[in-house]
Amino acid sequence: MRKPLIAGNWKMNGSAELVEAFGRAFAEASLPAPVEVVILPPFPYLDAARQAFADTPVTLGAQTLNPLHSGARTGEVSGQMLREFGVDYVLAGHSERRQLYRESDEEVYDRVIAAFSVGIRPILCVGETLEERDAGHTEDVVLRQVGYVMARLDPEQRRRMTIAYEPVWAIGTGRTATPQQAQQVMAAIRRYQAGFDRELAGELRLLYGGSMNASNAKELLAQEDIDGGLIGGASLKVDDFIAICQSAG
Ligand code: 13P
């Protein structure tokens, strides 16, 4: 049985006030017990978020990490440091980092391994651009991104991996993949994983991301291979985000 996961990626957004507002709302809301809820705020808010969410079931994630534990890497934050803040999850390979910061599959893999080495669970993000989709390359692109990392992991690491399918053309555009489009790609990811281990494939947690909101979440989350969501814009709106969490229960 795969536990649903709803993760709010705040990207470079938010404020101390928003952290507080979420803390209050999570304390009052009845979040469905089987659903795991994670907020990924920018680094400066991690400590405040840890305190604000302390009496709630919500856990913390980070949006990236540097693969090194420490050293001369001005501006970077290591997995060890994040672990000290009680971070449970970290994103690796978000399309904004692949595109804007030129992160390669190899660098994404390095981050995944660095996360595992300090006991943080990576969420590997994959997805095709509109040009790649229009050219009929969606599954090739997505399975290459998945395969580069998964093929290099050991079975225990594969078991602890979460994969988020985020079509680039659906991120921040209001243009969500249809539930059928998302399901098709996510079923392909699970079939690919079955090539390593059939039992593990059944356990692999797959999230959809890309303009998921309070109105479309239920239908997306009802798809057989969609086990949760990675939410951007709607994770900055308290009521909408809680509604999405509730629709996963
Ligand atoms: P939006 O929900 O704003 O489209 O962002 C999705 C995303 O990139 C989450 O990581």
Side-chain angles (χ1 to χ4, degrees):
M1 179 59 188
R2 301 186 296 266
K3 198 172 180 184
L5 172 67
I6 299 294
N9 175 11
W10 284 11
K11 309 190 180 188
M12 200 171 70
N13 298 297
S15 61
E17 289 75 35
L18 193 67
V19 170
E20 302 258 304
F22 267 91
R24 283 193 301 274
F26 285 141
E28 283 163 20
S30 55
L31 296 172
V35 181
E36 210 180 329
V37 179
V38 183
I39 293 284
L40 302 93
F43 293 137
Y45 302 130
L46 279 173
D47 196 33
R50 178 174 60 167
Q51 291 174 40
F53 305 161
D55 297 327
T56 78
V58 178
T59 59
L60 281 183
Q63 299 170 18
T64 187
L65 53 65
N66 187 282
L68 297 181
H69 287 324
S70 62
R73 293 293 184 278
T74 301
E76 294 290 283
V77 172
S78 77
Q80 240 168 29
M81 296 166 184
L82 295 172
R83 195 66 197 139
E84 271 187 54
F85 271 102
V87 163
D88 287 322
Y89 286 92
V90 68
L91 301 182
H94 192 282
S95 64
E96 286 152 19
R97 298 208 59 93
R98 290 181 192 264
Q99 291 190 333
L100 301 172
Y101 304 104
R102 302 268 181 275
E103 281 182 13
S104 64
D105 284 329
E106 191 181 347
E107 287 168 309
V108 172
Y109 167 74
D110 289 345
R111 285 172 165 75
V112 165
I113 288 296
F116 279 130
S117 76
V118 293
I120 296 179
R121 296 184 66 164
I123 300 174
L124 171 66
C125 304
V126 299
E128 82 287 1
T129 63
L130 190 55
E131 295 72 46
E132 288 163 341
R133 172 164 283 267
D134 287 347
H137 297 321
T138 298
E139 287 189 18
D140 292 348
V141 169
V142 168
L143 296 183
R144 190 208 76 233
Q145 293 170 338
V146 170
Y148 189 94
V149 173
M150 292 302 258
R152 289 167 174 77
L153 300 181
D154 65 35
E156 186 49 33
Q157 291 167 332
R158 281 200 282 272
R159 188 184 301 278
R160 293 182 61 73
M161 182 61 107
T162 300
I163 297 180
Y165 168 54
E166 300 202 301
V168 177
W169 47 272
I171 295 178
T173 58
R175 188 181 158 191
T176 321
T178 64
Q180 294 71 25
Q181 283 173 323
Q183 165 60 26
Q184 192 177 0
V185 178
M186 294 164 83
I189 296 173
R190 204 179 297 286
R191 275 197 307 276
Y192 174 85
Q193 174 75 3
F196 294 108
D197 183 327
R198 210 156 257 294
E199 198 184 322
L200 274 193
E203 291 173 18
L204 179 67
R205 201 153 53 164
L206 299 179
L207 314 181
Y208 169 79
S211 299
M212 195 189 258
N213 58 40
S215 319
N216 61 27
K218 205 166 183 62
E219 206 188 345
L220 285 159
L221 293 168
Q223 301 302 306
E224 189 181 339
D225 288 297
I226 304 186
D227 308 313
L230 182 54
I231 327 293
S235 75
L236 295 162
K237 300 177 192 146
V238 178
D239 293 344
D240 290 25
F241 186 69
I242 287 178
I244 295 171
C245 295
Q246 283 164 344
S247 61

